[in-house]
Amino acid sequence: MLRPPARYLVIIDADGARTALLFTDQFQDAGEFDASSEEVAVMVRGLRPALTATASEWDRALAGSSRQDRLAAEVYTLDV
């Protein structure tokens, strides 16, 4: 079965390292990798992030992240 495409890219500090998290349009985990990778730059080219991930729709997806980390997160909506 095919996984739905990633709709959101969240860049967040996780244990002192910037991590890129991918989520579907239903806020389901779709992947995780180092935010300093070249792929991140390509994915966000021309996009403007929301500068927080504290909205209630992120509560379950980012349950392991602190409120402070979520406040500093960058949330990109990807073109799919």
Side-chain angles (χ1 to χ4, degrees), residues 8-30:
Y8 302 102
L9 171 69
V10 178
I11 299 176
I12 193 166
D13 285 329
D15 299 323
R18 292 189 42 88
T19 302
L21 306 170
L22 291 170
F23 295 95
T24 67
D25 60 350
Q26 298 296 312
F27 303 97
Q28 296 172 342
D29 181 27

Side-chain angles (χ1 to χ4, degrees), residues 51-76:
L51 298 178
T52 185
T54 57
S56 62
E57 61 263 21
W58 291 107
D59 287 349
R60 192 159 78 187
L62 298 174
S65 299
S66 72
R67 177 148 177 83
Q68 182 177 356
D69 289 345
R70 289 177 60 183
L71 280 168
E74 299 171 21
V75 179
Y76 294 88

Side-chain angles (χ1 to χ4, degrees), residues 15-48:
D15 299 323
R18 292 189 42 88
T19 302
L21 306 170
L22 291 170
F23 295 95
T24 67
D25 60 350
Q26 298 296 312
F27 303 97
Q28 296 172 342
D29 181 27
E32 177 179 328
F33 51 99
D34 184 350
S36 65
S37 71
E38 184 177 334
E39 288 83 2
V40 171
V42 171
M43 292 172 81
V44 302
R45 186 173 294 135
L47 301 177
R48 297 190 79 141

